């Protein structure tokens, strides 16, 4: 089973991933936890280039291709071998992030981004995608030091959110859409229930 987590910035994705991991460990369920871009030596090096604020002149197409390159390595080095061994994979962001951020945020178009990524993912699509459904708030950045994506203006993140909703409408059966509750434990319980219903976890 290949499970991905998606959402806009500041929706509590990291917290939910941590709570899911705690649940799986407590119940003795083995899983592989990875994140995008990254999780292989080469993909982490590509991540540095993508997120480096010094790279101000990077074109949107270069950015999309770099995310795809990082993904191509992760698919071949980690995801495919793990799935062949029957492992459960929990991945923090994947293809839908590229469609939402580069396709809609950068306005390259969803179809262009999907075409590029067809080479990268080589047929490897998530079985279930958990989408934390919260519209971007203007104050999500707080005090954090923005990377090259995070320093984009608010309208970029509004397009990203719209992009996610458009993608979900295209393949509703793959997505579990969760509106984060104020209580992070309630949200986590909800996610776990939904993943159990899909047979992704026990
Ligand atoms: P990260 O610090 O991992 O962000 P988050 O905690 O929000 O997941 O940085 C990844 C950034 O890259 C994030 O801003 C989303 C962006 N991104 C894309 O623009 N396209 C992609 O394909 C992926 C995987 C991430």
């Amino acid at each position: 089973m290949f499970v991905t987590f998606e959402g806009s910035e500041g929706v509590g994705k990291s917290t939910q991933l941590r709570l899911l991991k705690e649940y799986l460990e407590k119940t003795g369920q083995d899983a592989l936890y990875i994140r995008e871009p990254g999780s292989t030596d080469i993909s982490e090096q590509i991540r540095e280039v993508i997120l480096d604020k010094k790279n101000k002149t990077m074109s949107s197409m270069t950015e999309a291709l770099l995310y795809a390159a990082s993904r191509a390595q992760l698919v071949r080095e980690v995801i495919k071998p793990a799935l062949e061994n029957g492992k459960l994979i929990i991945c923090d962001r994947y293809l839908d992030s590229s469609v939402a951020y580069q396709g809609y945020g950068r306005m390259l178009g969803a179809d262009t981004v999907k075409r590029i990524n067809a080479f990268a993912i080589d047929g490897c699509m998530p079985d279930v995608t958990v989408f934390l459904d919260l519209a971007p708030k203007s104050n999500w950045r707080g005090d954090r030091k923005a990377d090259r994506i995070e320093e984009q203006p608010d309208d970029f993140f509004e397009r990203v959110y719209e992009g996610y909703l458009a993608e979900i409408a295209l393949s509703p059966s793959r997505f579990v859409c969760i509106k984060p509750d104020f209580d992070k434990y309630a949200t986590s319980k909800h996610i776990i229930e939904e993943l159990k219903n899909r047979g992704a976890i026990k």
Side-chain angles (χ1 to χ4, degrees):
M1 273 278 183
F2 180 21
V3 178
T4 59
F5 271 65
E6 296 282 353
S8 308
E9 314 279 330
V11 297
K13 190 161 52 62
S14 311
T15 304
Q16 289 307 321
L17 280 160
R18 179 171 54 75
L19 291 175
L20 176 62
K21 183 168 189 240
E22 278 173 22
Y23 169 80
L24 291 173
E25 283 173 355
K26 217 168 53 196
T27 52
Q29 301 182 65
D30 191 29
L32 187 67
Y33 303 91
I34 51 180
R35 68 158 180 187
E36 273 221 280
S39 297
T40 75
D41 189 26
I42 291 167
S43 307
E44 291 289 339
Q45 292 178 57
I46 297 172
R47 177 188 175 93
E48 294 285 313
V49 175
I50 298 174
L51 297 180
D52 191 340
K53 282 205 281 184
K54 286 202 301 289
N55 291 330
K56 293 211 184 309
T57 57
M58 188 185 292
S59 78
S60 300
M61 182 54 80
T62 306
E63 182 181 288
L65 288 165
L66 285 173
Y67 277 112
S70 159
R71 184 164 300 134
Q73 188 64 27
L74 182 64
V75 164
R76 285 153 184 83
E77 192 177 324
V78 177
I79 296 178
K80 281 200 171 176
L83 289 175
E84 275 158 23
N85 286 325
K87 276 226 168 203
L88 168 64
I89 300 177
I90 311 282
C91 190
D92 182 355
R93 298 194 180 280
Y94 191 62
L95 173 64
D96 298 311
S97 283
S98 279
V99 176
Y101 281 75
Q102 281 66 54
Y104 288 83
R106 297 289 193 207
M107 296 191 278
L108 285 176
D111 287 342
T112 302
V113 172
K114 285 180 193 174
R115 265 162 60 204
I116 292 168
N117 274 278
F119 297 104
I121 67 170
D122 197 24
C124 209
M125 278 299 282
D127 297 297
V128 185
T129 299
V130 176
F131 176 64
L132 295 175
D133 185 355
L134 205 62
K137 294 193 206 79
S138 52
N139 63 348
W140 65 265
R141 285 180 192 83
D143 296 329
R144 47 195 286 169
K145 219 172 106 203
D147 61 36
R148 211 175 50 78
I149 300 290
E150 288 171 344
E151 66 181 9
Q152 294 309 306
D154 290 348
D155 64 316
F156 175 90
F157 294 100
E158 281 154 22
R159 285 196 300 278
V160 168
Y161 181 66
E162 293 306 318
Y164 273 125
L165 297 186
E167 278 310 295
I168 291 164
L170 287 179
S171 25
S173 60
R174 175 164 60 87
F175 286 92
V176 166
C177 295
I178 308 267
K179 292 244 180 240
D181 191 284
F182 184 70
D183 176 0
K184 64 185 176 193
Y185 297 105
T187 307
S188 177
K189 216 172 144 202
H190 194 174
I191 292 172
I192 289 166
E193 284 306 310
E194 290 287 347
L195 290 177
K196 281 183 182 170
N197 290 342
R198 304 280 185 124
I201 64 173
K202 291 193 285 284

